[in-house]
Amino acid sequence: MNGYLVFVGKRALLMFAVIFFGISAMFLVTYLSPIDPVEQVLGRLSARSNLSPEAIASTREALTAMFGTGQPMHVQYWNFWTRLLQGDLGASLMAFPTPAMELVMRGMPWTLGLLLTSTVITFVVGNLMGGLAGYFQNNRFFKAFGIVTMGLQPIPYYIVAFIILIIFGFLWPVLPISGGFSMDVRPSWTMPFILSVLQHSLLPAFSLVLVGLGGWFIGMRALVSNIVTEDYVTYAELAGVKRETIVSGYVMRNALVPQVTALAMVIGGVFSGTIITEQVFNYPGMGSLLVDAVNAGDYSTVLAVCTVSITAVAFAIFIVDLLHPLLDPRVRTE
């Protein structure tokens, strides 16, 4: 038990280090950006109404104090972490004066729901089919499934998303291709709203699942193909152990250990694919918010989205790391 707690402690320290350095690098990039958030807001305000020179000067002074852009870099960095720990990253320029973190909190449930659902489905189905294909190597169904998934795996997320958009949006319009729910449904915890959300999420999730299945299938099939030749598997078969027990307890469990490690490595890539997919299907998540913020030069919203994204991905990798001792007890002794 003490060895496992040490293992958890090391992984927790690594997670906090990743979050700290990742957010610090993100702050440095935005600090070096030529976009001035104060001038961005002033430009928007001036376009809406005629401001006097005195009003512009006082507004610029107030905005400079709010964004802290008139201070040295180390002071801005310290203030950034102080505000971040308080959950305040300033006002959004796109929806001024709405806080940027509020916009992120609105989009985060959509992205997390899409990301978690597609990742779980892809991981479970891909590894299950790959494991069965590796054990039953002469099965025609698994061979055909492998050909299809391996053909889709190299295709970028956005290409698959556009193809699905054309098929189900124009050639066979049976599913919604835009938005997170129907316009005539009020957001609430009611069955019509839940069904509408599920219906609108089918195509974005389907595009992510199609692209992700091939990698898990290929990896799992290769691992199982090597494991079935091991002596303990051969002995279990000769001893009359049930085939279901051999596949699940002897083969699949041992093959899952490196696959779980791979899951921690691809979570970031899946998140980036989610961003692109959200933009294609106009899905109201953090991906669409990030693209809009970059196009609008929204300094605060970009920082908020990236901060939450780095923290969420690092935490997801931390959780995946904790699954290793459940699959391979030898990890506890490290």
Side-chain angles (χ1 to χ4, degrees), residues 51-189:
L51 298 177
S52 63
E54 293 79 8
I56 292 177
S58 61
T59 304
R60 178 179 286 108
E61 182 179 354
L63 291 173
T64 301
M66 182 178 67
F67 287 106
T69 54
Q71 299 173 338
M73 178 180 175
H74 67 278
V75 176
Q76 292 190 40
Y77 181 70
W78 174 261
N79 292 335
F80 166 73
W81 275 104
T82 302
R83 290 186 287 109
L84 176 61
L85 295 177
Q86 297 174 354
D88 179 21
L89 287 176
S92 169
L93 305 184
M94 299 185 300
F96 189 82
T98 304
M101 193 59 72
E102 181 178 336
L103 296 179
V104 173
M105 290 298 106
R106 295 176 188 174
M108 186 168 62
W110 299 95
T111 298
L112 288 181
L114 181 62
L115 177 64
L116 292 176
T117 302
S118 60
T119 302
V120 170
I121 293 176
T122 304
F123 182 80
V124 172
V125 175
N127 283 293
L128 178 61
M129 299 299 288
L132 294 176
Y135 190 81
F136 303 100
Q137 298 181 6
N138 296 321
N139 188 285
R140 293 182 178 180
F141 172 76
F142 293 129
K143 288 183 178 180
F145 185 85
I147 293 174
V148 174
T149 55
M150 286 187 293
L152 292 172
Q153 193 265 338
I155 304 177
Y157 287 101
Y158 63 91
I159 298 296
V160 175
F162 279 124
I163 293 175
I164 292 177
L165 188 66
I166 293 173
I167 294 176
F168 293 98
F170 301 97
L171 301 180
W172 189 32
V174 295
L175 291 173
I177 60 175
S178 178
F181 55 91
S182 300
M183 299 297 294
D184 58 345
V185 178
R186 182 180 178 182
S188 59
W189 291 105

Side-chain angles (χ1 to χ4, degrees), residues 4 7 253 257 319-332:
Y4 182 69
F7 171 81
R253 181 173 180 178
V257 176
I319 296 299
V320 171
D321 281 340
L322 297 186
L323 295 177
H324 281 178
L326 302 179
L327 298 174
D328 189 357
R330 293 172 297 179
V331 177
R332 294 193 179 100

Side-chain angles (χ1 to χ4, degrees), residues 176-239:
I177 60 175
S178 178
F181 55 91
S182 300
M183 299 297 294
D184 58 345
V185 178
R186 182 180 178 182
S188 59
W189 291 105
T190 58
M191 188 57 64
F193 176 73
I194 295 175
L195 292 177
S196 179
V197 170
L198 292 176
Q199 188 179 26
H200 281 74
S201 65
L202 286 178
L203 292 185
F206 186 51
S207 65
L208 293 173
V209 170
L210 282 181
V211 177
L213 276 177
W216 297 118
F217 180 89
I218 296 172
M220 193 65 173
R221 187 181 63 178
L223 291 169
V224 170
S225 298
N226 293 327
I227 292 176
V228 293
T229 60
E230 295 289 338
D231 294 338
Y232 63 88
V233 177
T234 304
Y235 179 79
E237 292 175 342
L238 295 176

Side-chain angles (χ1 to χ4, degrees), residues 243-279:
R243 178 166 291 183
E244 295 81 4
T245 303
I246 296 175
V247 173
S248 60
Y250 289 76
V251 177
M252 298 284 283
R253 181 173 180 178
N254 289 321
L256 271 178
V257 176
Q259 290 294 83
V260 171
T261 303
L263 177 62
M265 297 173 63
V266 304
I267 286 179
V270 176
F271 181 80
S272 63
T274 306
I275 293 177
I276 299 174
T277 303
E278 287 181 0
Q279 188 67 14

